[in-house]
Each structure stands twice: as C-alpha cells, then as structure tokens.
Amino acid sequence: MTAVLAVVTLVLLAVRMWWPVPVWVVWVAGGLTLGAFVVAVMHRWRRAVELEADLI
C-alpha cells in the first residue's frame, strides 16, 4: 500500500509540472504516503518485538 501511494504521489508531482493540478492534491497524496509509511514501520517494529519476545 505504501509503495502504491508513493507512486501516486510521484505521478501527481510529475503531472503537476506539465498540467495545472492543484498543489493541495500533491500534498494530500504525500501526507497519506507518509502516514502509511509510519504505520507500516510501527507494525513491523511491533512484530519484531513480538518475535524477539517469543525467542526468550
């Protein structure tokens, strides 16, 4: 999901260079990408902690 949002953000940024796309659309897409990335990192961190606890 994060990769898809990142691609959408980059596409919107590239489109913005040639066509008049409102800048807030790019900011929203970038914000969603950042949010999804943070959630993915938190989930991976929590899973790593659980796996490490299982080893003990």
Side-chain angles (χ1 to χ4, degrees):
M1 181 68 171
T2 306
V4 172
L5 286 172
V7 169
V8 168
T9 302
L10 290 175
V11 167
L12 285 172
L13 186 61
V15 167
R16 172 126 176 86
M17 293 181 189
W18 288 286
W19 292 289
V21 175
V23 72
W24 65 267
V25 174
V26 178
W27 279 100
V28 168
L32 289 174
T33 302
L34 181 60
F37 177 74
V38 168
V39 168
V41 167
M42 288 173 44
H43 177 69
R44 181 166 289 216
W45 174 76
R46 185 173 41 238
R47 183 72 178 130
V49 168
E50 289 174 0
L51 289 174
E52 187 174 334
D54 288 343
L55 291 175
I56 297 175

